Amino acid sequence: MKKITVLPGDGIGPEVTEWGKNVLQAVANKFGHDFQFEEALLGHSAIEATGNPLPDETLEKCKNSDAILLGAVGHPMYDNNPNATVRPEQGLLKIRKELGLYTNIRPIKLFDELLSASSIKEEILKGADILFFRELTGGIYFGQPRERQNNGTTGVDTMVYHKYEVERIARKAFESAMTRNKKVHSVDKANVLESSRLWRETVQALSKEYPKVEVVHMFIDNAAMQLIKDPKQFDVVLTGNMFGDILTDAASQVAGSLGMLASASVGDKVGIYEPIHGSAPDIAGQGIANPLATILSTALLLDIAFGMKEEANTVIQAVDKVLKAGYRTGDIADVLTAKKMILGTAEMGKKVIEFL
Ligand code: IPM
Ligand code: MG
C-alpha cells in the first residue's frame, strides 16, 4: 500500500489534482496496486480555513506519506497587496524547506503534436529535450535577513549559497547527465554575484569527479536568450532557486505550453510532484484548465517515488495517444484544431484514462 497526500491548493489546483488522482487510481486498478489518497490544505485555501498557509496537520500528513501530489498555490488578493504578511506562497516555501526538497527536477520535452502550440519556430524546437535541476531550498528565496528596514522604506532579501547546498544538487545533475548526453550547463551570475562565484567554483571542483561530462558555465542573462534562440544546445541545466524559477517558465515555450510541464521536488525523504504552472485565477472554476501537467507529474511520481517505470511510461504514452488523436485543451489548441476536439479539464482527464 502506498499513501499519497493530495494538496489541491488554490485556483485551478483542485480541478487538475482531481484528474491527477483519478489517473493514479486508474493506474492502480490496471496494475493491481493499492494507492490510498488523503487530502490536506495548503496556500490560500488553508489560510481561509485556519489562518495558516501550511497547517501543522498538513505537514504531518505529508511527512507520513509515500508521495505528495500538489496542484498550485496563490491568489490574486495577495498579489496586489504587498502588505499582506500571511501569504499562500509561504506555505509552499515552508513545506519545501521542512521536507528538505532541495532538488527541483523539471523536464522540458516537447510532444511532437504540440510543435505549433509554441511561440517559437518549429525547426528551432524539434528535438529539444532539456532536464532542469533547480535548487529549491536555498538562495534568495530563503536567505536571511529578509525584512523591511528604515521604517519600511528599504526592502531586503539575501542571496546566499553554502558550498554543501551547491554540491549536493550539482552531484544530482552530474549523475543524471551521465545517463543522458553527458553535458551540463551550469547557470549563474558569477560576473556580479559572490554567491554565484561560489556556485561556479563548487561546480568546477565537482566536475573533476565526472571527467566524461562536458560542463558549460553560462550567465543567466545569456542563458535566457540562448534558451529561446537555440534550445537544442541544452541537455542538463543546473541552476539556483530564483534563476531556475524564471528560466523554467521561459522554457515552457520550448514544451509548447506551461500547461504541459511537470515537476518533481525531491530530497532525502518524501517528494512533491506538481505541475510547474500556477493557480491561474483567471480561468479557475471554469473547468477548462489543462490537467496534463498534473497527469505528467503523476508519471514522475510513479517513477521517482515508487520506482514504477512501466506504470509511469503508460501514463506518458496515454498522454501522447490523446494528443496524437487530436484532442487538446484550449491552451494547446491552434487555429487548425476543430472546436469539438477542444476539451475541458474533466473530458481531457477522462480521455487519458481511456487511453491508459
Ligand atoms: C514555482 C512557483 C513558486 C516558486 C511560487 C508559487 C512560490 O513559481 O514553483 O515555480 O517561485 O518557486
Ligand atoms: Mg515559478
Side-chain angles (χ1 to χ4, degrees):
M1 194 266 283
K2 300 277 187 200
K3 272 207 242 173
I4 302 170
T5 301
V6 181
L7 305 175
D10 309 319
I12 61 171
E15 298 165 62
V16 293
T17 46
E18 184 189 339
W19 287 96
K21 184 177 144 184
N22 291 344
V23 166
L24 283 169
Q25 186 57 59
V27 167
N29 298 345
K30 184 177 161 87
F31 289 87
H33 300 305
D34 180 7
F35 296 162
Q36 290 192 6
F37 302 93
E38 210 179 349
E39 282 199 6
L41 293 167
L42 179 73
H44 170 68
S45 51
I47 296 173
E48 294 281 277
T50 70
N52 182 350
L54 175 62
D56 292 343
E57 197 192 331
T58 298
L59 190 57
E60 270 318 297
K61 278 186 188 167
C62 288
K63 283 186 176 161
N64 292 319
S65 57
D66 298 297
I68 300 158
L69 180 69
L70 175 79
V73 301
H75 191 281
M77 70 182 258
Y78 309 88
D79 298 344
N80 295 320
N81 178 11
N83 294 320
T85 50
V86 179
R87 314 180 66 88
E89 291 80 2
Q90 291 163 344
L92 184 58
L93 298 189
K94 184 162 177 221
I95 198 172
R96 287 173 176 169
K97 194 73 168 178
E98 289 278 342
L99 299 177
L101 308 176
Y102 60 87
T103 304
N104 185 213
I105 303 171
R106 299 187 158 184
I108 310 289
K109 210 170 168 180
L110 181 68
F111 287 88
D112 277 346
E113 296 72 31
L114 297 185
L115 269 172
S116 63
S118 171
S119 53
I120 304 174
K121 286 195 200 100
E122 296 191 10
E123 65 267 27
I124 306 271
L125 286 182
K126 209 167 177 3
D129 179 353
I130 310 173
L131 190 60
F132 273 89
F133 283 78
R134 168 191 175 195
E135 202 288 328
L136 203 60
T137 54
I140 197 165
Y141 273 46
F142 291 95
Q144 292 293 341
R146 46 191 294 118
E147 63 193 15
R148 289 294 179 98
Q149 297 173 355
N150 301 324
N151 290 325
T153 58
T154 305
V156 179
D157 293 284
T158 306
M159 180 116 157
V160 46
Y161 266 117
H162 304 288
K163 187 173 167 197
Y164 78 92
E165 291 177 305
V166 184
E167 239 165 33
R168 64 185 179 182
I169 186 159
R171 194 172 287 287
K172 296 226 176 187
F174 277 108
E175 290 292 336
S176 164
M178 288 299 288
T179 68
R180 294 172 53 105
N181 288 333
K182 302 194 173 58
K183 192 170 179 187
V184 172
H185 278 78
S186 175
V187 175
D188 62 31
K189 188 71 186 174
N191 50 345
V192 177
L193 303 175
E194 201 52 51
S195 55
S196 279
R197 285 191 279 273
L198 173 90
W199 183 281
R200 192 170 284 217
E201 177 187 300
T202 307
V203 174
Q204 278 169 344
L206 191 70
S207 72
K208 300 209 168 69
E209 291 180 33
Y210 299 88
K212 291 202 178 109
V213 177
E214 179 195 348
V215 185
V216 181
H217 296 277
M218 205 178 249
F219 297 136
I220 175 68
D221 46 353
N222 184 31
M225 187 269 280
Q226 295 293 339
L227 190 64
I228 306 302
K229 186 178 173 212
D230 176 21
K232 274 178 275 198
Q233 70 186 288
F234 297 100
D235 190 60
V236 170
V237 179
L238 163 67
T239 191
N241 205 342
M242 187 163 70
F243 298 156
D245 177 46
I246 300 167
L247 221 47
T248 50
D249 260 38
S252 73
Q253 282 310 298
V254 175
S257 163
L258 201 50
M260 295 300 296
L261 290 190
S263 85
S265 303
V266 296
D268 300 319
K269 289 170 284 200
V270 56
I272 297 185
Y273 300 83
E274 61 173 310
I276 291 188
H277 63 67
S279 56
D282 51 325
I283 59 163
Q286 297 176 33
I288 58 170
N290 184 351
L292 294 178
T294 306
I295 291 172
L296 290 168
S297 299
T298 70
L300 288 176
L301 185 157
L302 290 163
D303 181 358
I304 299 173
F306 300 165
M308 298 177 177
K309 287 224 177 322
E310 191 190 344
E311 289 83 340
N313 281 332
T314 307
V315 172
I316 297 169
Q317 294 306 323
V319 170
D320 196 37
K321 284 180 204 160
V322 168
L323 296 173
K324 282 211 166 74
Y327 298 106
R328 302 283 186 271
T329 43
D331 60 313
I332 49 173
D334 60 27
V335 285
L336 298 174
T337 314
K339 250 216 161 82
K340 66 172 199 299
M341 301 304 274
I342 302 182
L343 308 182
T345 313
E347 294 163 300
M348 183 52 106
K350 281 183 201 144
K351 273 286 165 226
V352 174
I353 291 174
E354 219 175 89
F355 282 91
L356 269 180

